[in-house]
Amino acid sequence: MGSSTSPVPVVLIVGPQASGKSTVARALVEALRERDEHAALVELDEIANMALPTLPSWDVAADIFATVVGEWARSGLICVVAEGIASRSEIDMVSARVPDTAAIMTITMTTSLDAATPRALADPTRGISRDESWLSDRYDEWRHERALIDEDLTLDMGSLSVQEGVACAVAAIDAKRSELFDQSRHHGTAPGPAAARRASGRTVGRLSAAARSRYADLLHRLSR
């Protein structure tokens, strides 16, 4: 499968803490590579970790994250998977950096707080997100954020296995490519979803309270 037939899909893995984002994103990239696709995985926490313990702010990490996603989308890869997003403002920031022709897909990860809490508590690498009250607040914020997000696919990781979630994601990526190829063949190349989202009038720039709250989680890890 080559990248010349359609714009490179930029797959945004979006959801609250402990919803399975990083697990599914890594397994998705592995599945794409197993069928000989050139794919990149960009993880927001890994970008931020590069500067710990001297990270200036979460805004800086998110800005660099968006830039890296955009640069990989220009590199000739078949797919770029961006993981770690939890708000509409973060989606808009990435959309503003990728090429206008990029085909952006948004996959939201959902799970209940009851399912997420034991998952977070069992992960010793987590910081403040192992605090049940803090995690509950983030899930309250996520309900508001999700209403602002245009989803291409929703994965309920409280009921799906990782393998099932990845299979759904791969099928959605293939369907998007087929749709884009048909549009290009019949109507000519049109501005991609990235351009459309930039023209939508939504705010691009400062992060939401939900996104900022996760900065505290990273800093908390330093004191452990």
Side-chain angles (χ1 to χ4, degrees):
M1 184 177 297
S3 60
S4 61
T5 59
S6 66
V8 59
V10 176
V11 181
L12 309 182
I13 307 295
V14 185
Q17 288 81 359
S19 60
K21 295 192 302 296
S22 61
T23 301
V24 169
R26 292 168 187 173
L28 172 59
V29 170
E30 193 64 31
L32 294 172
R33 289 171 179 165
E34 285 178 356
R35 59 183 198 176
D36 297 324
E37 296 201 19
H38 295 174
L41 172 62
V42 187
E43 297 181 88
L44 180 55
D45 278 359
E46 291 303 310
I47 295 291
N49 286 339
M50 291 176 182
L52 291 177
T54 55
L55 182 66
S57 73
W58 187 260
D59 288 308
V60 171
D63 184 70
I64 294 171
F65 168 79
T67 298
V68 172
V69 174
E71 290 305 307
W72 277 123
R74 292 177 174 86
S75 69
L77 295 175
I78 293 176
C79 187
V80 179
V81 178
E83 182 277 317
I85 300 170
S87 70
R88 175 71 209 202
S89 60
E90 289 173 305
I91 292 174
D92 288 340
M93 187 176 289
V94 173
S95 298
R97 303 296 174 83
V98 302
D100 286 347
T101 56
I104 297 178
M105 290 187 59
T106 301
I107 299 178
T108 58
M109 312 286 291
T110 67
T111 190
S112 68
L113 178 61
D114 287 343
T117 299
R119 187 182 299 165
L121 292 174
D123 185 353
T125 68
R126 293 182 178 273
I128 199 171
S129 59
R130 297 176 75 190
D131 181 290
E132 295 183 44
S133 176
W134 187 93
L135 194 63
S136 177
D137 289 343
R138 302 294 77 76
Y139 272 71
D140 287 340
E141 291 171 351
W142 168 245
R143 281 190 285 273
H144 169 74
E145 288 291 340
R146 189 180 176 191
L148 305 176
I149 295 171
D150 300 321
E151 305 169 346
D152 293 292
L153 175 67
T154 301
L155 298 178
D156 181 355
M157 299 313 295
S159 61
L160 295 173
S161 68
V162 173
Q163 292 77 11
E164 290 169 335
V166 169
C168 290
V170 170
I173 291 170
D174 288 344
K176 172 67 78 173
R177 286 172 172 158
S178 178
E179 174 190 345
L180 291 166
F181 179 70
D182 288 342
Q183 289 175 355
S184 176
R185 184 177 59 184
H186 291 114
H187 305 294
T189 302
R197 291 185 184 185
R198 274 197 284 277
S200 69
R202 294 187 185 271
T203 301
V204 177
R206 294 186 62 79
L207 301 181
S208 66
R212 289 174 180 276
S213 67
R214 289 179 298 129
Y215 178 48
D217 188 15
L218 285 173
L219 294 182
H220 185 79
R221 297 178 194 178
L222 300 175
S223 63
R224 298 182 69 254

